[in-house]
Amino acid sequence: MAAASLMVHITEDHNEVLTYIYRAIARKKLSFSKNTLLHFDSHPDLLIPPNISASDVFVKEKLFSSISIENWIMPACYAGHISRIVWVKKEWSTQISDGEYIFAIGMDKDTSQIRCSSTEPYFVSELLYTPRDNLANIKDITLTVVTFDSSNSLQTMCEVLEELSDNSNIILDIDLDYFSTTNPFLSMYSEKQLDILATLYKFHEETTPELSAARRHKQLSMLSSTIKRLASQTSSASLSNSVEYSDPDSERLDLIRTLVTEEIESKGKVDPETLHEHGCTFDTCGLPHHISTEKEIDKHIADSVELLSRLKLKPRLITIARSSDDDYCPKEQVDVIQEKLLNSLQSLYKNMTITKHYSE
């Protein structure tokens, strides 16, 4: 009897893979609950959609229209479909330190939005932290973060991930920017603007996560409102003469004014929401940037597939994101990376059925 096909879904944007994960659950190709997501990526993708209520997670149309590339995993955790996440990353990704993290995800009793109890700066800096006792409809999540580089040999990786060998509910999820990645914002702003954004948006930890979150909320609210006010000026000249702003920190206000002035002078206008959104990526460490050579790409792919082989991993679904339209995976490399990866995976999994959900 022939082995059942192993479905491989390739999308452009990473959040689009959730559609095919849900479809596999509906068709009973995946378990309804307690799935493990083995996530090869240069980014955690573990944020939470800002404008979705906890109840909307169970309405697919609302869910799929609310998620984005950075926040598609946690709603599936809240829905109970994913209980374990293993984020395999390279050394250039430093958003979350290596280790095992156990935390709750649930509905914030005050706001009815999804929040989590993790006190890691990655979550607190994004205002996603809520104490466990203020969460309802709790699901417990285990997150393992491991860096696959020269300091972690294949043998070490196998030891860290050994328990996956006996796991029959694995979704193998690969973002092609795992192998080579860019920070698209580096080409959008001057070096001076990037330095200012890093200074203004730096996350400062306090003695408790509650205090850290309160300070962060105040910081982001001030930055957002001030950028909007300054951006409403019609020219860099009128902006430089404007002084009536509520921020008592004159040095910080000068930095914001310089940031907005440079944006007006270089682009002719300012989109305050986009500028603020980009600033928020500079919270703890900024976005990773490492354009790999062809030799490095070959090694990264070979090592990853060898790891899967040694673990004797048998995923029930494979999802792949190209991430090239948004420039996280270099456009000039993405097709080569994809072809090499698929060839390597096909040598390991003979029964793959590949479907491409993007325009070539």
Side-chain angles (χ1 to χ4, degrees):
M1 181 176 177
S5 292
L6 173 57
M7 298 304 298
V8 180
H9 294 282
I10 306 176
T11 66
E12 179 55 51
D13 295 337
H14 209 156
N15 53 288
E16 295 171 334
V17 307
L18 192 61
T19 297
Y20 305 103
I21 292 174
Y22 271 49
R23 187 172 296 175
I25 292 171
R27 294 176 177 175
K28 299 184 179 180
K29 303 294 185 181
L30 281 175
S31 172
F32 182 84
S33 61
K34 297 184 178 180
N35 291 292
T36 291
L37 185 74
L38 179 54
H39 179 61
F40 288 79
D41 201 323
S42 279
H43 311 87
D45 297 351
L46 293 175
L47 300 184
I48 294 171
N51 300 314
I52 186 172
S53 67
S55 59
D56 286 344
V57 168
F58 302 100
V59 182
K60 284 195 296 184
E61 294 76 13
K62 290 184 178 180
L63 171 62
F64 293 154
S65 65
S66 299
I67 56 176
S68 187
I69 57 173
E70 74 280 2
N71 59 30
W72 61 274
I73 298 174
M74 293 290 267
C77 295
Y78 177 70
H81 302 313
I82 296 171
S83 61
R84 174 87 191 276
I85 305 161
V86 179
W87 178 33
V88 180
K89 64 185 186 69
K90 304 304 292 185
E91 61 270 21
W92 52 77
S93 298
T94 58
Q95 300 94 317
I96 306 175
S97 299
D98 285 19
E100 183 168 281
Y101 306 89
I102 299 174
F103 57 89
I105 186 170
M107 181 186 74
D108 187 296
K109 295 176 182 178
D110 298 325
T111 67
S112 296
Q113 294 184 315
I114 306 171
R115 291 295 181 263
C116 72
S117 65
S118 175
T119 59
E120 281 301 298
Y122 174 83
F123 296 104
V124 180
S125 67
E126 294 287 346
L127 305 179
L128 302 179
Y129 165 77
T130 293
R132 185 184 179 97
D133 59 9
N134 201 48
L135 294 173
N137 194 23
I138 284 174
K139 307 292 191 305
D140 288 313
I141 305 300
T142 300
L143 167 65
T144 300
V145 180
V146 58
T147 301
F148 194 1
D149 60 11
S150 56
S151 63
N152 274 342
S153 65
L154 271 168
Q155 181 60 37
T156 301
M157 291 292 293
C158 288
E159 291 171 0
V160 172
L161 303 178
E162 181 181 12
E163 64 185 274
L164 296 182
S165 299
D166 299 323
N167 191 325
S168 61
N169 292 316
I170 289 180
I171 304 163
L172 174 57
D173 175 68
I174 304 172
D175 195 315
L176 299 185
D177 73 14
Y178 170 80
F179 305 102
S180 182
T181 192
T182 60
N183 178 351
F185 301 144
L186 297 182
S187 62
M188 297 172 62
Y189 301 104
S190 68
E191 187 173 340
K192 184 177 182 179
Q193 286 178 301
L194 292 169
D195 288 341
I196 291 174
L197 286 169
T199 299
L200 290 174
Y201 283 87
K202 180 179 175 60
F203 172 63
H204 301 276
E205 283 194 82
E206 298 289 344
T207 53
T208 68
E210 289 81 6
L211 290 174
S212 296
R215 176 173 177 172
R216 184 64 168 171
H217 181 270
K218 182 178 179 181
Q219 175 192 16
L220 295 182
S221 296
M222 181 282 301
L223 288 169
S224 177
S225 61
T226 305
I227 288 173
K228 285 180 181 177
R229 291 174 185 173
L230 291 176
S232 67
Q233 301 299 314
T234 57
S235 68
S236 58
S238 61
L239 187 150
S240 64
N241 293 326
S242 179
V243 295
E244 294 183 3
Y245 295 101
S246 60
D247 189 353
D249 188 330
S250 59
E251 181 178 351
R252 181 169 54 193
L253 183 57
D254 286 342
L255 286 175
I256 301 173
R257 184 179 285 114
T258 300
L259 176 69
V260 175
T261 299
E262 287 220 352
E263 192 72 354
I264 291 175
E265 292 177 346
S266 64
K267 299 183 176 70
K269 62 178 181 179
V270 181
D271 181 338
E273 291 185 0
T274 298
L275 187 59
H276 179 64
E277 178 185 336
H278 293 175
C280 288
T281 66
F282 289 84
D283 45 12
T284 56
C285 62
L287 294 175
H289 182 84
H290 179 91
I291 301 176
S292 301
T293 65
E294 185 174 359
K295 183 177 180 180
E296 287 175 325
I297 290 169
D298 289 343
K299 178 169 173 47
H300 299 329
I301 291 175
D303 286 348
S304 301
V305 174
E306 178 62 20
L307 175 63
L308 299 175
S309 176
R310 292 196 190 186
L311 289 172
K312 296 181 172 56
L313 204 70
K314 296 179 180 178
R316 298 181 66 177
L317 179 71
I318 297 177
T319 54
I320 297 174
R322 288 166 55 84
S323 297
S324 60
D325 281 356
D326 51 20
D327 294 322
Y328 286 105
C329 184
K331 285 184 171 67
E332 65 276 12
Q333 293 182 326
V334 65
D335 289 328
V336 172
I337 294 173
Q338 179 173 308
E339 182 180 3
K340 290 183 175 184
L341 175 64
L342 288 175
N343 287 339
S344 296
L345 288 174
Q346 284 176 316
S347 68
L348 182 61
Y349 303 118
K350 309 296 186 184
N351 58 330
M352 285 170 37
T353 298
I354 300 168
T355 307
K356 298 177 180 179
H357 305 277
Y358 62 92
S359 300
E360 296 191 70

